[in-house]
Amino acid sequence: MPTSHAISRVDEQTPLIAPPTSQETGPSSGASMSSALFWKVGALSGALAVGLGAFGAHGLKKRIADPAKLANWGTAAHYQLIHSVAILLAHNHPVPATLFAAGTALFSGSIYALTLDTERFRFLGPVTPLGGLLLIGGWVALAFAKGGPPPRWPRF
């Protein structure tokens, strides 16, 4: 099989995603420690979001009866999951990835804490909108990130 990405014949042995060439890997390709770190942060944040969402849907109902608080927990888990994917998408772009990671921690984290104990974590109330602004900033930064979407993604 030729080493280029052009595949002239498709059969059961043809990979769905072409493996990277030596020019696309290694330190000179833009792959960096921060890119790998953001990838791990995004993936672990996604796993945590699923776990916290499940806890909110099942275990938290035993501790909290207020439907508004339960809905807030669901919102926090929902935003965390969406922005975990955003971190994965932006892992090669440090500014938007940092904004997404920080915004997720502040936005979702403050909502989780306020849901569990509003009085104890009241000081986190102003942190929630700050986290939201960071999330918005992450999307704006991603829109203007150098290089745009990864080369194998469709461009619209």
Side-chain angles (χ1 to χ4, degrees):
M1 178 174 268
T3 59
S4 73
H5 290 295
I7 299 174
S8 58
R9 184 172 59 89
V10 178
D11 59 23
E12 291 87 23
Q13 302 301 317
T14 304
L16 294 175
I17 299 173
T21 64
S22 60
Q23 298 157 344
E24 295 172 333
T25 59
S28 63
S29 69
S32 65
M33 285 178 45
S34 67
S35 176
L37 175 65
F38 285 125
W39 186 263
K40 288 180 183 172
V41 166
L44 292 173
S45 177
L48 184 61
V50 172
L52 289 171
F55 172 70
H58 304 289
L60 197 59
K61 289 181 182 178
K62 296 173 186 173
R63 294 187 55 189
I64 297 174
D66 183 356
K69 284 187 174 186
L70 293 173
N72 288 344
W73 187 279
T75 297
H78 182 88
Y79 271 67
Q80 183 178 354
L81 186 59
I82 288 170
H83 288 91
S84 298
V85 174
I87 294 167
L88 294 173
L89 292 173
H91 77 280
N92 283 324
H93 302 290
V95 172
T98 299
L99 290 169
F100 287 141
T104 299
L106 294 178
F107 181 84
S108 294
S110 64
I111 293 175
Y112 291 138
L114 287 164
T115 300
L116 291 173
D117 192 340
T118 306
E119 292 304 314
R120 182 175 177 194
F121 296 109
R122 183 170 299 284
F123 69 94
L124 292 177
V127 171
T128 307
L130 176 61
L133 288 173
L134 292 173
L135 294 174
I136 293 166
W139 288 108
V140 172
L142 188 60
F144 295 101
K146 184 178 177 184
R152 290 198 181 122
W153 286 28
R155 295 185 187 258
F156 300 100

